[in-house]
Amino acid sequence: MKFSIYNKEKVVGYLFILAPILQFFIFALGPLIYSFYASFTDWDGLTQPSFIGLENYKEIVLDDRFWKALYNTIFYMIGIPIGMFLSIILAILMNQKLRGISIYRVIYYIPNISSLVAIAILWQWIYNPDYGILNNMLYKLFHIQGPNWLYNTTWVKPAIIIVTVWRGLGYSTLLYLAGLQNIPHVYYEAAEIDGASSLKKFIYITLPLLTPTSFYIVVTTCIGGLQMFVEPQILANNGGPEYSAATVVFYLWQKAFINYDMGYACAVAWILGAIIFVVTLIQFKYANKWVYGMD
């Protein structure tokens, strides 16, 4: 039996897409299904899991550390509107036709591509209570003795929020800059003919037409924020003082790889997944009330 050229190309095409499909089933769907089963078991990750029903979920509901980690994770979300506000301002500044503007754009994007270890070392030095630049500046400018940022239950979360906002600023600014450059100038020209001020053009043209970009940033940063792990893990040792810096993913990681309680960790992961799903669903449900297009 002879294959036509069309059939040969079809077979080659299927072979090309076979690799990512197998990758999805082996490394994504398979572990996902197994983790759901494991969430109903008592399993240390090494021996055979034993089925215990809903015991892990019941234990999580009564676990103070889980609720504290969930509270911290939600608290870190304060950084999202702060980052968006700063990104819009920076994007407007970067959208000006100034000499050397490309260099400024690169400078603001550098934290986004920098090594997390380097960032951690930099900010640990900035936050150092004895010789850190932040406390020195506070004392020289305002005669205020700064706190021990990363070892204080009150200040450790704001300190980590500052780091996450600083690190994500370049990416959000880049998206807003693309959004600004996508707004047709005809809208501004029509507004100028009507005598609109710069502030009114910003409020009634720029902000509404940036809402698709804002929506994308809100959805992706909420998903990323609920999965925050690296910054608290690097900057705050063992979840910070009195567990005040730990996030849900940090708590999950501790349960899985420090306590070897894989079944319990899987249950935490599924609860976190459900929270992310509900939050994202709500965002899409109400998107048509505040996201505007150019029609």
Side-chain angles (χ1 to χ4, degrees), residues 188-198 200-201:
Y188 294 110
E189 289 167 2
E192 283 171 10
I193 291 171
D194 290 339
S197 64
S198 298
K200 285 188 176 178
K201 282 190 281 185

Side-chain angles (χ1 to χ4, degrees), residues 25 35 69 72 108 110 116 124 155 160 182 205 239 243 252-253 273 275 281 294:
F25 278 100
S35 73
N72 295 339
Y108 278 98
I110 285 175
L116 278 170
Q124 280 172 345
W155 290 105
I160 291 174
N182 201 35
I205 297 175
Y243 222 57
L252 182 160
W253 171 79
I275 292 171
L281 197 67
M294 294 188 192

